[in-house]
Amino acid sequence: GFDVMAEVANVVVQSEATYGNSTLLTLLPGTPNGPTATGGSAYVFAGYRLPHGFLPHVRFEYIELSMGDDYSDPDGPLVATRDWNNAVAIGVNWDPVKHVRVRTQYEVVTGLASQPANGTYYDPATAAGYSDEMSGTFSVSAQADF
């Protein structure tokens, strides 16, 4: 993986990307673990600092859970055409005083894969739950660092 951050004048740009393998584990005794997948994710954040601690920004995220798996079958349980999600967020961070941040954003997500149940791995053959619908979420949060 890698991450970078740059702030030039009032422009802030951050990005991070990861790539690796994951074995999907089950917590049920006597049940074998799921397959191993190669996955990756990345985001890019760009914002512009305004006076009085305001930082309007936009962020794009992409996650691909199973770019490949350890099955020789190209239609194996982790090879799925919509086994990914992406999101675009637009928001404003506000730092009214040092160590306090208030965040507001609206995020639109599409392509999210569902999980059938806790302790099991996702198998599209038995629990296909991909969605081509976009969903949006508005959120507000506050953080104080001590």
Side-chain angles (χ1 to χ4, degrees):
F2 79 90
D3 64 272
V4 296
M5 178 181 177
E7 187 165 346
V8 178
N10 291 347
V11 176
V12 178
V13 178
Q14 298 175 352
S15 183
E16 183 175 356
T18 61
Y19 178 85
N21 293 329
S22 296
T23 298
L24 302 173
L25 304 177
T26 181
L27 302 177
L28 303 174
T31 304
N33 290 329
T36 296
T38 300
S41 64
Y43 79 86
V44 176
F45 172 100
Y48 188 83
R49 289 201 190 279
L50 297 173
H52 309 293
F54 289 97
L55 177 68
H57 64 270
V58 62
R59 185 183 73 243
F60 175 78
E61 304 171 7
Y62 182 82
I63 299 172
E64 173 72 53
L65 299 176
S66 59
M67 294 173 182
D69 64 29
D70 60 1
Y71 281 63
S72 59
D73 177 3
D75 296 320
L78 287 179
V79 178
T81 57
R82 293 190 57 77
D83 188 12
W84 55 269
N85 73 32
N86 62 32
V88 177
I90 298 173
V92 176
N93 292 351
W94 176 45
D95 299 337
V97 295
K98 188 174 182 177
H99 302 296
V100 174
R101 174 166 293 161
V102 179
R103 296 180 186 92
T104 61
Q105 73 176 21
Y106 183 76
E107 183 174 48
V108 176
V109 179
T110 188
L112 198 60
S114 65
Q115 291 292 323
N118 288 336
T120 63
Y121 62 88
Y122 182 79
D123 184 349
T126 60
Y130 297 108
S131 170
D132 59 1
E133 301 294 322
M134 290 192 299
S135 62
T137 304
F138 177 74
S139 62
V140 177
S141 64
Q143 172 182 332
D145 297 326
F146 298 100

